[in-house]
Amino acid sequence: MATLLGSESPWTGGKRSVRNGNIIAKIRHSQIVGRGFSRGTQLPEALLQDRDKQAKWHSIPELLQKLHESSHPNSDLSHTHSVLKELSSLLSMEAMSFVTEDRKSAQESTFPITYTFDLFGGVDLLVEILMRPTLTMQKKKPKMNDDLVNDCLSVLYNCCICTEGVTKSLAARDYFVLFLFTLMTNKKTFLQTATLIEDILGVKKAMIQLEGVANLSGLVQSFDQQQLANFCRILSVTVSEPDVGNDDKHTLLAKNAQQKQDSSLSRAEVNQVTLLNIPGFIERLCKLATRKVSEATGASNFLQELEDWYTWLDNALVLDALMQMATEETEHTSTESSNESSLATSTLRHRLPQSMKIVHEIMYKVEVLYVLCVLLMGSHRNQVHKMLAEFRLIPGLNNLFDKLIWRKYTSSNHVVHGQNENCDCSPEISFKIQFLRLLQSFSDHHDAKEALCSLKTQIKYYIVSPKCPLPVSLCSCRSLVCDGKKGLLTRLLTVMKKEPPDSSFRFWQARAVESFLRGVTSYADQMFLLKRGLLENMLFCIIDSGCKSKDVLQSYFDLLGELMKFNIDAFKRFNMYVSTDNKFQTFMTQINSSLVDSNMLVRCIILSLDRFETQTEDRKVVEVLSECCLLSYLAQVENRLSFLFRLVNIINVQTLTQENVSCLNTSLVVLMLARRRGKLPFYLKALREKEHAEKYPGCLLNNFHNLLRFWQRHYLNRDKDSTCLENSSCIPFSYWNETVSVLLGSDRTSLCAIASYIDEPFMDLDRDLLEC
C-alpha cells in the first residue's frame, strides 16, 4: 500500500490523502483477512459514501460489502447474484469501451471501475466464491447456480481485459487455473471458462502442465466438436515452446548449452505427449480441420463484413457466444409470442452477417491446424504423421481448398511471421498461412507426402517413367491420397502462380512445395513441377519481378535448388530462360546479394555439377554441360573459391543459428567434393593465401576450425539432422564426419589438416570462444 498512498490519483487529479489511503487499506484488509465488512469492522456508511463521491469509486466498495455479506457459506446466494449482476453491468460497460476503442488510446487511458474493484479485493472475493464448493468437507459438494458462475467468470474476464495486473495475478495462482478446467465439464459455463483460461495462460510465465488437470482425458472426450475447437485455443498456448524473444538465445550454441543443462522433455513436449495419449484426440482434430461449411446464399461481401466485425471480435469465443445467441433466438421465437425482449434479440439476429458461420469456422480451423502443426514438429512427429495420413487429413483439406481455404483472393502485405509470433492478421489470412505451414510440416522428409497428389497423377509420373522408382507410400497408401483429378499440390501451384511475386503467401507456398521436394531427390516429383512451369515462374520472380522481400527471395532460392538438383532437364530449361547475359548477371547479382539466403541453391548447383561430370557418356548431359552458363560459372575453380571464402567468413560459432548454419554445410560440401578428387590441399592453401591477401593471417582458418569443432558436437548427437544432410547431398554422413575429422587433424604435417596452414604465431586465435 506504500506506493498506492503516494501515487497520483487518475480520478481526483491530485495526491491521495493519507486519510483516504487509510480508508482503502482498512476496507481491503477487513475483507481479505477477517470476515470483511462485518458489523464489527464496518466503516460508517456516511463516511464511505462521502469518500465514494470524492474519489469517484462508482459505489464499488459498497457493492463489494454487500456481495461479501451475502456470500458466506450458509447464505442464500440469490441475493449474491443480484449484487453481482449490478457489478457486472458496471464492469462490462468499461470492458466494452476498451474493446471498441482504438487500441492505442485504450491502452493509454485508465479504467477506474476495474481498478477500484480490484483495489477493494473484488477479484479475490470472486475467486473465493467460485472455489467455495471445493473447500467444503461434506461428501456431497454444494452446487452453484450456472448463471452465478458465468457472471463471476464474466466479471473476472472483464477485469483481465482492462487491467493486465489482474490477469497476471490470476495466472500466478496455479490452483485456480487448474480449478477453472473443472468448470469446462458444464456446457453452460464452458464458453466463459474457456475465454478466461485463454486470457490467463497468455500471460502466465511458467507453462501449465496438462497432466495436472483432473481427468483431462475424460474432460476432452466429453467435449462436443465445437467445444473441442474452442479448447484448441487453449491448447495452442500449452503445446508450443515459448518464444524467448532474444536473438542471442536463438543461436545454436545457446540452444545446445540449454539442452545440456536440461536433458528432460520440456513442458510443451510433456503436454504434447499427454494429448497424444487421449483416445481419439487426433482423429477428432482431423475431422474438425476437414469438416465442410454450408455457405448461406445472398451473403454480402465477406471481406467487408470481416473488416467491420473483426475490429472488436478479436476473440473467437466471443463470436461463438454471438452464434449461440442467434441460435437461441430462433428457438425462442418459434415457441413464444413476440415481446420486447425477443424483438431486441431478433434485431441482433438480423444484424449478424450471413457469412458469420464461415468466419466462425475459419477462426477455429486456424487453432486446430496450429495444434496439429506443432504436434507434427514435436518429438513424436512420426507417430502424429502416421495418424494424420491414416485419418485422411490431406484428402479432406483438398476437398475444402476451393470452397473454403482459397475460395477467393486475399491481399497479404503483412510481414512474414515466425512460428511462435503473435499474428494480427485477419482470420482468413491466418487460416491460409496456418494451412501452408501444416503442408510444410506434413511433407518434410516423410514418405506419406505423396498424399498431396491424386492417384491419377502418381500413376502417370511414377509408373510410366522408367526413371521413377515407385515410392513405398504409393504401394501401401493408395487409399490415403487425394480424390479426383487434382491433388492438393496441383491446386497449390495454381494459386501460387496467381500471387504477386513479393506476397507473403508466396513465402509459405514456396516453403510448402520445397518441403515436398526435400529429402531424397525424386526425379518424378521434379518433373511433375517442371512440366507445370514452376521453374520459369521462380526465375521470373527472382530476375524480372523486382521482388525485394528478403524472406520471399530466400524461399525462391531454396525451392529452385530442390527443383534443379541432379536434374539435367531443369538446367536445360534454366539456360533457355536465362538466354541473355543481362538476365544471367541479374540472377547472379541476386545470389551474391545475400549468400546466407541463396547458399542452398549454390550447394545444389555444385552437387549437380559434380554428378553431371561423371555422366559424360550421356549425350544430353554433355550438351547441357557445354551450354549452360550456370554450370560453366561454377565449374571455374576461382568462382567456387570465392563462394567458399565468403561462406566461411560470414559466420562464426557465436552467430550460428538454424537459419545460417547451412552456410557451414555448403562450405563443407565444396571441400568434400574437393577431397574426393584429391584437391583438398589446393583449396586450403587458397584460403590461406586469401586471408594473407586480406591482411588477416590465421583469422579465417581459425574461425573455420572453431566452426568445424562445433559441427562435430552439434551433428553427431542428432540423428534427424544428420539424416537430412545425407539425403539432401547424396553423400553418406560417414563421409561428412570423416572429412571434418581430417580437417581438424592435429598433425601439422598433414596437407589435409587446417592446422598445417595456420602460422604458429596465429594458431588457435579463438580457442576459448567455443567453451562459453
Side-chain angles (χ1 to χ4, degrees):
M1 293 299 295
T3 55
L4 174 65
L5 300 183
S7 63
E8 188 81 16
S9 170
W11 311 305
T12 61
K15 295 281 184 181
R16 289 194 182 90
S17 66
V18 174
R19 181 185 175 200
N20 188 23
N22 286 337
I23 292 173
I24 294 172
K26 188 170 183 180
I27 295 175
R28 194 171 189 190
H29 177 78
S30 66
Q31 179 184 344
I32 297 170
V33 179
R35 289 306 305 157
F37 299 121
S38 64
R39 290 181 184 273
T41 60
Q42 182 174 307
L43 289 167
E45 187 174 343
L47 175 61
L48 190 60
Q49 289 176 352
D50 180 57
R51 297 311 304 159
D52 191 301
K53 286 179 182 179
Q54 291 185 39
K56 296 182 180 179
W57 287 336
H58 302 274
S59 302
I60 296 292
E62 187 180 348
L63 288 170
L64 281 174
Q65 179 178 327
K66 291 178 182 178
L67 183 65
H68 190 275
E69 289 174 347
S70 65
S71 63
H72 60 79
N74 299 317
S75 64
D76 177 11
L77 292 179
S78 60
H79 183 56
T80 303
H81 197 188
S82 65
V83 177
L84 187 60
K85 278 184 176 295
E86 196 172 344
L87 280 166
S88 178
S89 177
L90 285 169
L91 290 162
S92 62
M93 287 190 340
E94 190 167 85
M96 184 57 74
S97 71
F98 174 83
V99 175
T100 53
E101 276 183 39
D102 176 71
R103 279 305 165 99
K104 185 178 179 182
S105 63
Q107 288 169 354
E108 291 172 353
S109 61
T110 54
F111 296 93
I113 299 176
T114 306
Y115 178 82
T116 307
F117 180 81
D118 182 40
L119 182 68
F120 283 93
V123 171
D124 298 313
L125 179 57
L126 289 188
V127 169
E128 181 189 335
I129 291 172
L130 280 171
M131 295 194 68
R132 187 162 291 161
T134 67
L135 304 177
T136 180
M137 300 299 290
Q138 301 173 11
K139 288 184 178 179
K140 187 177 181 182
K141 304 289 184 185
K143 191 176 186 308
M144 288 180 64
N145 180 277
D146 292 337
D147 292 334
L148 175 60
V149 172
N150 269 334
D151 282 339
C152 286
L153 294 169
S154 179
V155 170
L156 287 176
Y157 178 65
N158 288 334
C159 289
C160 290
I161 287 177
C162 298
T163 310
E164 189 180 11
V166 172
T167 320
K168 290 180 177 178
S169 169
L170 293 176
R173 314 178 197 201
D174 286 341
Y175 63 90
F176 180 63
V177 178
L178 291 174
F179 162 76
L180 285 176
F181 279 89
T182 66
L183 298 181
M184 298 179 80
T185 56
N186 186 342
K187 194 165 185 176
K188 291 183 179 179
T189 59
F190 176 89
L191 274 177
Q192 293 286 5
T193 307
T195 309
L196 183 58
I197 292 176
E198 183 189 347
D199 222 53
I200 290 173
L201 294 185
V203 301
K204 191 169 175 60
K205 288 184 178 179
M207 186 177 291
I208 192 171
Q209 292 282 213
L210 289 178
E211 59 186 2
V213 177
N215 190 23
L216 177 68
S217 179
L219 176 68
V220 174
Q221 287 178 295
S222 72
F223 293 155
D224 60 30
Q225 286 296 81
Q226 202 59 34
Q227 288 176 310
L228 183 60
N230 278 309
F231 192 58
C232 282
R233 294 182 66 87
I234 294 170
L235 294 182
S236 64
V237 184
T238 65
V239 295
S240 54
E241 299 290 351
D243 190 1
V244 291
N246 186 336
D247 288 340
D248 292 340
K249 294 183 180 179
H250 287 296
T251 64
L252 295 180
L253 193 65
K255 287 182 178 179
N256 289 355
Q258 182 62 38
Q259 288 173 357
K260 254 187 187 178
Q261 293 175 6
D262 186 12
S263 58
S264 60
L265 291 175
S266 67
R267 288 196 168 200
E269 289 173 320
V270 171
N271 285 341
Q272 291 173 24
V273 173
T274 301
L275 292 175
L276 291 174
N277 288 332
I278 298 176
F281 176 70
I282 295 295
E283 182 177 10
R284 291 185 67 191
L285 287 192
C286 288
K287 288 179 179 178
L288 272 173
T290 58
R291 70 179 178 185
K292 296 180 180 179
V293 184
S294 56
E295 295 185 33
T297 57
S300 55
N301 184 273
F302 171 73
L303 292 178
Q304 279 187 333
E305 293 165 356
L306 189 57
E307 189 176 351
D308 294 338
W309 283 84
Y310 195 67
T311 54
W312 67 281
L313 286 179
D314 64 341
N315 189 313
L317 294 163
V318 178
L319 180 54
D320 208 14
L322 283 171
M323 293 294 294
Q324 183 176 319
M325 190 183 300
T327 304
E328 289 172 354
E329 183 273 334
T330 304
E331 296 171 352
H332 180 72
T333 52
S334 64
T335 55
E336 294 184 18
S337 59
S338 295
N339 54 33
E340 187 178 345
S341 173
S342 65
L343 283 172
T345 313
S346 181
T347 303
L348 175 63
R349 166 67 171 155
H350 289 298
R351 283 169 51 207
L352 287 173
Q354 290 296 313
S355 56
M356 189 61 76
K357 287 183 180 179
I358 299 172
V359 187
H360 180 269
E361 190 67 18
I362 284 174
M363 292 175 85
Y364 288 123
K365 277 181 168 27
V366 170
E367 304 300 333
V368 173
L369 293 183
Y370 179 81
V371 172
L372 289 175
C373 192
V374 173
L375 293 175
L376 264 176
M377 295 186 296
S379 54
H380 289 68
R381 63 181 70 87
N382 290 334
Q383 177 190 351
V384 175
H385 200 291
K386 184 178 178 182
M387 287 192 284
L388 297 188
E390 180 185 345
F391 299 133
R392 290 179 57 81
L393 174 68
I394 298 302
L397 292 175
N398 185 47
N399 293 334
L400 288 180
F401 191 88
D402 292 329
K403 292 183 179 178
L404 184 67
I405 300 172
W406 232 280
R407 60 200 193 92
K408 59 175 67 178
Y409 170 75
T410 311
S411 175
S412 67
N413 297 320
H414 63 281
V415 295
V416 178
H417 296 295
Q419 180 67 25
N420 288 327
E421 290 184 57
N422 293 324
C423 179
D424 57 359
C425 310
S426 73
E428 190 158 6
I429 290 176
S430 299
F431 182 38
K432 289 179 178 179
I433 291 175
Q434 210 54 254
F435 163 75
L436 294 170
R437 280 178 173 171
L438 180 73
L439 289 193
Q440 179 187 355
S441 302
F442 184 86
S443 302
D444 195 17
H445 296 94
H446 208 286
D447 287 339
K449 65 185 180 181
E450 304 302 337
L452 270 67
C453 300
S454 66
L455 185 59
K456 181 180 178 181
T457 299
Q458 294 199 19
I459 291 173
K460 178 179 179 181
Y461 283 91
Y462 285 103
I463 297 179
V464 175
S465 174
K467 284 190 177 183
C468 306
L470 199 63
V472 177
S473 58
L474 182 58
C475 302
S476 59
C477 306
R478 289 195 180 193
S479 62
L480 306 181
V481 300
C482 293
D483 305 316
K485 294 180 180 180
K486 290 184 179 180
L488 205 46
L489 188 60
T490 301
R491 298 181 194 277
L492 181 58
L493 289 174
T494 301
V495 297
M496 182 178 178
K497 291 179 184 178
K498 294 178 181 178
E499 286 291 330
D502 57 353
S503 161
S504 61
F505 284 143
R506 275 278 199 164
F507 171 85
W508 294 109
Q509 289 162 343
R511 281 276 174 260
V513 179
E514 181 226 335
S515 186
F516 176 79
L517 288 172
R518 206 183 299 153
V520 179
T521 304
S522 167
Y523 179 81
D525 290 341
Q526 289 175 326
M527 292 310 297
F528 172 78
L529 298 170
L530 286 172
K531 289 187 176 181
R532 280 157 177 76
L534 182 60
L535 183 138
E536 289 79 7
N537 185 262
M538 290 294 97
L539 291 175
F540 170 79
C541 293
I542 294 170
I543 299 171
D544 302 314
S545 71
C547 176
K548 301 296 182 185
S549 170
K550 187 173 178 291
D551 292 313
V552 178
L553 278 172
Q554 181 186 0
S555 69
Y556 291 156
F557 288 133
D558 291 348
L559 174 53
L560 192 60
E562 292 296 335
L563 190 59
M564 296 178 68
K565 188 168 57 181
F566 305 135
N567 192 309
I568 199 67
D569 295 294
F571 281 90
K572 187 174 182 178
R573 283 172 175 257
F574 174 91
N575 212 47
M576 289 172 65
Y577 188 92
V578 188
S579 54
T580 64
D581 288 342
N582 240 3
K583 286 197 171 186
F584 181 67
Q585 286 305 320
T586 303
F587 181 75
M588 293 309 301
T589 299
Q590 290 280 47
I591 285 182
N592 285 306
S593 64
S594 180
L595 202 52
V596 171
D597 299 327
S598 62
N599 82 89
M600 292 293 290
L601 173 59
V602 173
R603 185 195 306 182
C604 289
I605 298 167
I606 291 173
L607 284 166
S608 301
L609 176 61
D610 183 74
R611 176 175 291 190
F612 295 154
E613 288 176 341
T614 65
Q615 298 173 345
T616 51
E617 72 285 350
D618 189 321
R619 185 176 296 178
K620 184 197 284 188
V621 171
V622 173
E623 180 186 334
V624 174
L625 273 173
S626 63
E627 295 177 356
C628 181
C629 51
L630 186 58
L631 291 173
S632 299
Y633 183 87
L634 266 299
Q636 297 175 41
V637 176
E638 60 270 25
N639 290 331
R640 287 203 200 193
L641 282 170
S642 174
F643 277 124
L644 178 62
F645 177 78
R646 290 171 58 205
L647 286 167
V648 175
N649 207 33
I650 58 180
I651 52 174
N652 59 59
V653 172
Q654 279 66 44
T655 60
L656 272 184
T657 64
Q658 204 63 48
E659 291 296 313
N660 62 26
V661 71
S662 57
C663 293
L664 175 56
N665 290 321
T666 299
S667 65
L668 261 176
V669 166
V670 174
L671 294 179
M672 280 191 296
L673 297 181
R675 180 172 172 241
R676 273 184 178 177
R677 301 191 178 200
K679 294 183 179 179
L680 184 55
F682 172 81
Y683 278 76
L684 293 176
K685 183 181 178 183
L687 288 177
R688 182 180 184 275
E689 291 173 354
K690 181 70 174 175
E691 66 179 10
H692 276 268
E694 298 285 335
K695 302 191 186 310
Y696 292 106
C699 183
L700 181 71
L701 289 173
N702 270 302
N703 180 48
F704 192 38
H705 195 275
N706 279 329
L707 286 166
L708 292 179
R709 287 164 61 201
F710 175 82
W711 187 96
Q712 281 186 321
R713 296 186 185 188
H714 182 75
Y715 281 99
L716 294 183
N717 299 317
R718 285 171 170 77
D719 292 338
K720 182 177 183 289
D721 288 349
S722 58
T723 302
C724 291
L725 286 180
E726 183 171 308
N727 289 340
S728 64
S729 64
C730 290
I731 298 175
F733 184 71
S734 58
Y735 194 76
W736 284 78
N737 190 28
E738 186 182 312
T739 302
V740 171
S741 298
V742 168
L743 288 166
L744 291 177
S746 57
D747 183 4
R748 290 179 59 82
T749 63
S750 169
L751 295 178
C752 292
I754 292 175
S756 303
Y757 298 88
I758 305 176
D759 295 335
E760 192 69 40
F762 310 110
M763 193 69 180
D764 298 322
L765 190 66
D766 296 325
R767 172 180 290 277
D768 295 336
L769 293 180
L770 194 62
E771 309 304 327
C772 61

